[in-house]
Amino acid sequence: MEIEYRNPAEIEKRSFAIITEELGNRTFPEEIALVVKRVIHTTADFDYADNLVFSNDAVSRAMNAIRNGAHIVTDTNMAKAGINKKTLAKFGGEVHCFIAEPDVAAEAKQRNVTRSIVSMERAAKLDVPVIFAIGNAPTALIQLEKLIREDGLKPELVIGVPVGFVNVVESKELIIRSGVPHIVARGRKGGSNVAAAIVNALLYQLVHREGF
């Protein structure tokens, strides 16, 4: 077997060509296709071609929010680390993750709730447009849906892709039914890397459109 050695840009270009080829007759609107392919590129899992759910105009609305300085809130530092913060900063945005903050941990312990719940409450108080990128904690999605329903929280987008077995499927369905703009991976699959990949797909499309 001959191994092809290529530079990173060539490897990525070749990878996306393979993904397009293996998708065959499966086609998507361009802005959605770029998100789906970025997730497949990150995971090597073609199931995402079927289980990613997009609300109407989710991608274009999210890119417009980023263009206007929206911030990103993640539920894990892993997702935060995977997002291209330098590119986001070009539009005035920042990435926040409150999960490891000592006061968040202390409040969660005092209230006997998860840190994800307190983190989402903290994020809801940010005085900026917010995109939530949730890749690990279904409780974060459950709390977001509660804040949307009871407190009138209006996120620019909810990326709901937690992975696992307990409350994962149900929490994603709550977000789909909530009426807010969303990109959700139905079923058990997902992860922090998927959440970051979706954010980066939005950023890279926007950079391309803006000519950066």
Side-chain angles (χ1 to χ4, degrees):
M1 178 182 296
E2 181 180 351
I3 303 296
E4 295 183 80
Y5 292 90
R6 301 169 180 266
N7 66 41
E10 290 174 334
I11 292 170
E12 181 170 293
K13 183 178 180 180
R14 177 60 181 144
S15 295
F16 275 87
I18 292 170
I19 291 167
T20 301
E21 180 181 341
E22 294 198 16
L23 282 172
N25 293 328
R26 295 293 306 280
T27 59
F28 309 87
E30 182 180 7
E31 60 185 19
I32 289 177
L34 292 170
V35 174
V36 172
K37 290 178 183 180
R38 175 68 56 181
V39 172
I40 294 172
H41 177 259
T42 298
T43 61
D45 188 342
F46 281 83
D47 283 353
Y48 286 103
D50 297 307
N51 60 26
L52 281 175
V53 177
F54 297 76
S55 63
N56 289 337
D57 300 322
V59 174
S60 58
R61 292 179 64 168
M63 287 194 293
N64 189 55
I66 293 169
R67 184 186 289 111
N68 291 315
H71 289 209
I72 311 295
V73 170
T74 69
D75 62 330
T76 65
N77 280 313
M78 179 179 175
K80 180 181 178 180
I83 292 170
N84 191 322
K85 290 170 282 295
K86 183 177 180 180
T87 299
L88 180 63
K90 293 180 179 180
F91 302 98
E94 301 176 21
V95 184
H96 306 271
C97 182
F98 301 108
I99 197 74
E101 297 293 327
D103 57 337
V104 168
E107 182 178 340
K109 183 177 181 180
Q110 187 271 327
R111 291 170 54 191
N112 194 30
V113 297
T114 69
R115 288 182 295 162
S116 296
I117 289 174
V118 179
S119 293
M120 294 302 104
E121 293 171 348
R122 189 72 52 88
K125 295 177 182 178
L126 290 171
D127 191 24
V128 291
V130 175
I131 291 172
F132 290 89
I134 309 302
N136 181 70
T139 52
L141 288 186
I142 293 167
Q143 186 65 14
L144 278 178
E145 190 274 339
K146 181 180 179 182
L147 291 166
I148 291 163
R149 176 169 39 84
E150 296 184 358
D151 296 349
L153 178 66
K154 297 185 183 300
E156 300 295 328
L157 177 73
V158 176
I159 298 169
V161 292
V163 60
F165 300 94
V166 179
N167 296 328
V168 169
V169 173
E170 295 83 356
S171 68
K172 293 173 180 178
E173 294 301 319
L174 283 175
I175 294 301
I176 291 172
R177 294 197 299 267
S178 71
V180 300
H182 60 263
I183 301 174
V184 169
R186 266 187 161 137
R188 294 173 171 176
K189 291 186 177 183
S192 295
N193 59 334
V194 175
I198 292 171
V199 173
N200 287 336
L202 299 173
L203 289 172
Y204 299 155
Q205 286 195 61
L206 189 53
V207 166
H208 179 72
R209 290 187 181 188
E210 299 292 314
F212 285 171

